[in-house]
Amino acid sequence: MTVADVLMIALGAVAVGSGTLVVTSAHLVRSGLYLVVSLGATAGLYLVLGAELVAWVQVLVYVGAVVVLLLFAVMLTRAPIGASAGLDRPAGPSALIGAGVGFGLAALFADAFRWIEYPRADPGTAERIGGEIFGTWVLPFEVLSILLLSALVGAIVLSRPDIGARRAPEQTPEEADEEVPA
């Protein structure tokens, strides 16, 4: 067993363990922080595999932007930060469904790939990756940025009671004089 194998096993265990804590924690902010650990471990897995660009994109986009946006949205909407009673659900059905989906995906991957070793693709260059990102995939990136911006604006609007609230109609001076006792 090589050092890379040990690192893969350790980082995989950290990613799976913190991913489990994301969905089982009753504290919303702690779930967000566990998500940071899980995504960081995934970036470490990419580094061990030799995909440095993908690892840094993982850190910058997911850990640096999406999780911060999630935590700001939680804090701006004044969601309960502590343990929430509304998040307590029976664990049995969800564990059964999760196990079923996991076994189904494992069977699907085993059947689809049939343990065949595929030849490696040619290594990408920065020029080829840049051409793909800024040529083929530029529209999905822009749509995603608009989606994240609209989610942040929506969280701000929901957190401010003065925006979008109906105001009482202005009273005329005659109506104000009628309400004053003599």
Side-chain angles (χ1 to χ4, degrees):
M1 199 174 239
T2 64
V3 174
D5 293 337
V6 172
L7 280 173
M8 290 283 288
I9 291 170
L11 288 169
V14 168
V16 169
S18 59
T20 303
L21 289 172
V22 168
V23 297
T24 59
S25 177
H27 295 267
L28 198 55
V29 174
R30 287 184 189 170
S31 289
L33 296 175
Y34 292 138
L35 183 62
V36 169
V37 173
S38 180
L39 294 173
T42 305
L45 287 169
Y46 290 141
L47 279 176
V48 171
L49 290 172
E52 292 88 5
L53 177 70
V54 179
W56 289 115
V57 167
Q58 173 86 11
V59 169
L60 291 173
V61 173
Y62 288 106
V63 176
V66 173
V67 173
V68 169
L69 181 69
L70 173 81
L71 291 175
F72 271 117
V74 166
M75 291 177 187
L76 285 174
T77 57
R78 295 187 185 115
I81 293 179
S84 300
L87 296 177
D88 293 338
R89 303 247 189 318
S94 60
L96 182 67
I97 291 171
V101 168
F103 286 129
L105 284 173
L108 177 73
F109 284 141
D111 182 53
F113 293 108
R114 298 188 192 276
W115 306 109
I116 297 172
E117 190 171 320
Y118 292 97
R120 297 180 102 185
D122 294 333
T125 62
E127 182 180 350
R128 250 181 53 196
I129 293 172
E132 284 292 318
I133 289 175
F134 295 115
T136 307
W137 295 100
V138 71
L139 182 63
F141 278 126
E142 292 301 322
V143 169
L144 182 64
S145 67
I146 291 170
L147 175 70
L148 291 174
L149 178 65
S150 64
L152 185 60
V153 169
I156 291 170
V157 168
L158 288 175
S159 69
R160 302 246 340 245
D162 59 330
I163 297 177
R166 290 189 177 179
R167 295 181 183 172
E170 296 290 328
Q171 291 182 340
T172 62
E174 293 83 20
E175 292 173 342
D177 288 340
E178 290 174 5
E179 293 179 7
V180 177

